[in-house]
């Protein structure tokens, strides 16, 4: 009988150990993960930076999508809001101008104890120099230079002017001293903001410049009303 014979053959196969393979789920998944972790499957994967950028842009897109959904009129309404914000920012910038330096930076050139003459700043600088306080001497001598230029009408008195700005403005009417004015301003900035310590050489350089500027003849530019001389 064929039916009986077939059953008998199947029983013989089972008895011989030919049991159909049935791999459990967990070992099968581990085997698949191990196989897929091989480098050959990841040659064209994006690197870490690319993945980070992709995640960032996905986040940005999500933010805009959420904003567009919340804004009246959807994406078109969001675009109008962005234009309005940009316009307000431009108007504020035009009205207020470039942000000024902090109060500490503003008071660094001329302190808040009240205006003093160039002679007073020179006297203070000499006192600091006599006590070997070269950093303070450099600061006071730079203040003396700028105050002297203001008193001679070569610089317009302007609160908040920095040493760099004063050097640049003074160089227009005293072009022969432009480089040394900028070097003096740099020395002032180094000891005031850069945490450096001045030495005798730095002070003597500013002292010599101060004395030379006091005798220098300004170059009056076309349209300049200043009539002061050395």
């Amino acid at each position: 009988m064929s039916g009986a014979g077939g059953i008998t053959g199947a029983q013989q196969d089972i008895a011989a150990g030919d049991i159909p393979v049935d791999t459990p789920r967990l070992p099968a998944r581990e085997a698949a993960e191990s196989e897929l972790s091989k480098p050959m499957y990841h040659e064209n994967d994006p690197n870490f930076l690319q993945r980070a950028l992709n995640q960032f842009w996905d986040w940005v897109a999500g933010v805009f999508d959420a904003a567009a959904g919340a804004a009246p009129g959807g994406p078109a309404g969001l675009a109008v809001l962005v234009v309005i914000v940009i316009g307000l920012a431009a108007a504020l910038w035009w009205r207020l101008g470039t942000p000024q330096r902090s109060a500490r930076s503003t008071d660094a050139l001329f302190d808040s104890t009240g205006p003093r003459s160039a002679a007073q700043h020179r006297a203070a600088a000499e006192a600091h120099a006599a006590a070997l306080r070269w950093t303070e001497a450099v600061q006071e001598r730079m203040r003396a230079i700028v105050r002297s230029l203001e008193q001679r009408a070569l610089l317009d008195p302007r609160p908040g002017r920095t040493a760099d700005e004063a050097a640049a403005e003074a160089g227009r009417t005293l072009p022969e001293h432009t480089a040394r004015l900028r070097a003096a301003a740099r020395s002032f900035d180094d000891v005031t903001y850069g945490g450096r310590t001045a030495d005798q050489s730095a002070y003597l350089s500013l002292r010599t410049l101060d004395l030379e500027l006091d005798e220098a003849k300004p170059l009056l530019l076309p349209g300049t009303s200043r009539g002061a001389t050395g």
Side-chain angles (χ1 to χ4, degrees):
M1 301 240 190
S2 59
I7 294 174
T8 303
Q11 291 174 345
Q12 291 176 350
D13 291 338
I14 293 173
D18 294 333
I19 301 175
V21 177
D22 185 10
T23 306
R25 290 184 178 181
L26 182 58
R29 185 178 64 184
E30 292 176 349
E33 291 176 351
S34 176
E35 177 66 21
L36 293 175
S37 66
K38 294 180 179 179
M40 60 182 294
Y41 295 106
H42 302 278
E43 293 178 352
N44 298 319
D45 286 357
N47 57 33
F48 174 79
L49 179 59
Q50 291 173 326
R51 292 196 302 272
L53 287 175
N54 290 339
Q55 292 177 355
F56 171 75
W57 289 120
D58 289 342
W59 175 80
V60 171
V63 170
F64 275 99
D65 289 342
L78 177 62
V80 172
L81 290 176
V82 170
V83 172
I84 293 174
V85 170
I86 293 175
L88 289 174
L92 287 173
W93 185 271
W94 178 82
R95 178 66 180 84
L96 300 178
T98 304
Q100 300 297 318
R101 292 191 178 202
S102 64
R104 187 182 69 84
S105 298
T106 299
D107 291 338
L109 184 55
F110 293 109
D111 55 36
S112 57
T113 59
R116 290 188 290 175
S117 67
Q120 290 175 312
H121 285 295
R122 288 182 182 124
E126 289 296 308
H128 286 305
L132 304 182
R133 295 188 296 267
W134 302 117
T135 294
E136 291 82 355
V138 164
Q139 292 173 323
E140 285 299 322
R141 204 75 200 197
M142 186 63 195
R143 290 168 181 147
I145 290 173
V146 175
R147 185 66 78 203
S148 176
L149 294 173
E150 291 178 348
Q151 291 176 184
R152 294 174 59 195
L154 299 181
L155 285 178
D156 294 325
R158 177 162 59 84
R161 178 189 278 119
T162 66
D164 292 329
E165 291 169 345
E169 293 173 22
R172 299 190 187 106
T173 53
L174 297 166
E176 295 182 358
H177 297 83
T178 299
R180 295 175 64 193
L181 281 165
R182 289 178 177 173
R186 189 160 49 248
S187 295
F188 179 89
D189 289 342
D190 286 344
V191 300
T192 305
Y193 309 118
R196 298 185 182 180
T197 302
D199 55 15
Q200 183 180 13
S201 176
Y203 174 69
L204 292 179
S205 177
L206 264 71
R207 184 178 183 273
T208 301
L209 176 62
D210 184 20
L211 296 176
E212 291 181 5
L213 289 175
D214 204 38
E215 300 294 331
K217 303 297 182 181
L219 173 65
L220 298 182
L221 302 176
T224 302
S225 61
R226 296 189 178 98
T229 59

